[in-house]
Amino acid sequence: MDKYNLNFKLDEVPKYIQISKHIKKLIDSDFIEDGEKLPSIRKLSDLLGVNNDTIINAYKRLQVEGYAVQKVGSGTYAKRKEISRNFKKDYSDTLKKLSPSILNQYVDFTGETASSEFFPVSTFKMVINEVLDRDGAEALTYQELLGYEGLRNNINKYFWNNKLSTEDVLIVSGAQQGIDIVSKALLNVNDNIIVEKPTYSGALSVFKGRRTNIYEVPMLQDGIDLNQFEKILKKNKIKCFYLMSYFQNPTGMTYSLSKKKEILDMAEYYDFYIIEDDYLSELIYDENIEYKSFKAMDDSDRVIYIKSFSKIFLPGIRIGYLIAPVKFRESIQNSKVNSDISTSSLMQRALSLYIEKGFWREHITSLKDIYANRYKYMEDKIMQILCDKVCFNSPGGGLNFYLQIDSSSKVNSIDLFYKCKESGVLLTPGVLFHKYPKEGEEYFRLGFSQVSNEKIEKGLNIINNMLKSE
């Protein structure tokens, strides 16, 4: 009963509200377990020195707010609120309802893609015009099912040094579609899949939609915890392991080459396949990080490689590609056809020519310089402004930082989201990246792709004030 003790504040807040808030915190922090019976009205009123009506009103308030349920003839029981479904919808609705003009009034740390202000409009316009002059109306018609052959050839030539064949490459409408069509082709109800913990929320949604059994393995600084990974492999027949090899979303962590080799060996030994989401690997700022994908190291045809051009180029141009093991090539191609038949022919041709003329390499070089400076600025400001409020690991690349709220703070990332939103700052709580959302309550992600240095400092100061106020 000691945990229910409460020193009432001498202010205008009624005692029943103070009691309900105290019990809510106990439930949220696991001091009161989900389904645990709360003290009887008489016992709690005696403990706190209040009348029975005060406890009755406190319990009624908990029921209204979804933190308690009353069972006739039995008593009142704690009920942990389902934060994932309600908050995920609220978070999504918040971003959807903000028009570009209104969004500009916020410090927007939710961005996951390169800013459109750096998109080479004039160059890309010139390339599109050249494609139309060259190909005429044919540029607007559907292409072969695998995608425009010229683009597939250039992907092989400029990104894979002609180590693939054109038939190895399947054009898709971004990484999200790639994950979706692979899941439809490979995964059935009750198949077992392993994901990183935390992981990309879009991938979690796809795997849940396939009604798979999802196992999570914690992320370390150089990739997943291999000890926990192998324990799961020994006890379960795993079909696939979904991972993000560079600057993982949300943690920003990157797999070491040695860990990649160990995981590839395990894939062969335990007979599972790796779905590699090659996320933002173009944006490496730390010279100690070497680029070498799982797919490039794959000697046993165990890796399904997915790459999006949208994140780094422009989200509106929904183009990516997928490389599948021979064993699954036909089923994945059929899954793509059943999804949308063909990705935009004009955009495929324009991107192909853009790559061929060397503009892609120039754009990435320019973008990398811009974001390396912004990354360093934000890293310095986080250490300067939030040094005693959070801890984090510097990812060495990518477009975001993943912060852990100090254990001394009484605020969780959902509370922080709402407080910051009211003050003109948008951030992404860690609950969105976990199978069991409560595990992400002490984390939040800050992306710097859409914010200037001035806004970075302003936003971090507001976050600091929100954490300080607690």
Side-chain angles (χ1 to χ4, degrees), residues 420-432:
C420 287
K421 187 178 76 168
E422 291 300 314
S423 298
V425 174
L426 297 174
L427 52 81
T428 307
V431 298
L432 298 175

Side-chain angles (χ1 to χ4, degrees), residues 132-370:
L132 290 171
D133 288 340
R134 183 192 71 192
D135 301 341
E138 188 180 348
L140 304 174
T141 60
Y142 284 128
Q143 297 302 315
E144 57 266 42
L145 298 181
L146 297 183
Y148 174 55
E149 186 176 4
L151 177 57
R152 291 185 286 123
N153 281 330
N154 282 332
I155 287 172
N156 182 29
K157 178 179 179 180
Y158 293 99
F159 301 141
W160 293 91
N161 295 320
N162 288 318
K163 293 178 181 178
L164 308 174
S165 70
T166 305
E167 288 69 33
D168 288 327
V169 181
L170 172 66
I171 304 301
V172 294
S173 300
Q176 182 68 32
Q177 188 192 58
I179 296 168
D180 185 59
I181 65 174
V182 167
S183 298
K184 289 175 179 176
L186 271 65
L187 300 175
N188 298 308
V189 175
N190 291 328
D191 277 346
N192 298 323
I193 182 167
I194 296 178
V195 300
E196 300 157 327
K197 177 183 176 182
T199 191
Y200 170 49
S201 58
L204 269 181
S205 296
V206 170
F207 302 141
K208 286 179 180 179
R210 298 298 296 169
R211 296 167 63 191
T212 60
N213 300 315
I214 302 172
Y215 294 86
E216 295 180 300
V217 179
M219 282 292 290
L220 305 178
Q221 281 189 271
D222 63 343
I224 55 166
D225 183 327
L226 288 185
N227 290 330
Q228 291 199 34
F229 185 60
E230 191 158 23
K231 284 180 182 179
I232 295 173
L233 292 172
K234 286 179 178 179
K235 293 180 180 179
N236 306 275
K237 175 58 181 173
I238 298 299
K239 189 76 168 285
C240 293
F241 169 37
Y242 169 76
L243 61 85
M244 306 181 83
S245 46
Y246 283 82
F247 314 122
Q248 193 255 8
N249 186 10
T251 66
M253 298 296 98
T254 292
Y255 283 80
S256 65
L257 292 178
S258 60
K259 189 160 282 190
K260 287 175 185 173
K261 178 68 168 60
E262 288 187 71
I263 291 172
L264 285 165
D265 288 343
M266 288 182 185
E268 180 71 4
Y269 183 80
Y270 290 103
D271 190 24
F272 66 88
Y273 290 84
I274 297 167
I275 304 173
E276 179 181 14
D277 187 349
D278 187 357
Y279 178 72
L280 296 180
S281 59
E282 296 88 349
L283 299 180
I284 296 175
Y285 315 132
D286 184 342
E287 59 185 16
N288 294 313
I289 298 176
E290 177 185 350
Y291 176 68
K292 196 168 189 179
S293 66
F294 277 86
K295 188 63 183 176
M297 300 171 65
D298 179 22
D299 295 326
S300 303
D301 214 16
R302 288 277 167 182
V303 177
I304 303 158
Y305 178 89
I306 301 171
K307 181 68 183 176
S308 173
F309 293 106
S310 307
K311 299 287 186 185
I312 197 72
F313 200 43
L314 189 69
I317 299 177
R318 304 295 301 165
I319 297 179
Y321 69 97
L322 186 154
I323 303 170
V326 174
K327 179 178 179 178
F328 300 121
R329 188 175 295 166
E330 185 176 351
S331 59
I332 289 175
Q333 289 171 1
N334 290 338
S335 180
K336 169 66 168 79
V337 172
N338 292 335
S339 295
D340 67 358
I341 302 179
S342 179
T343 302
S344 168
S345 174
L346 178 59
M347 288 299 102
Q348 288 187 65
R349 289 166 182 263
L351 180 58
S352 177
L353 187 59
Y354 189 84
I355 293 169
E356 190 176 320
K357 285 180 170 290
F359 295 140
W360 172 265
R361 190 175 299 278
E362 290 176 11
H363 175 64
I364 295 303
T365 300
S366 172
L367 209 59
K368 186 175 176 180
D369 289 342
I370 292 168

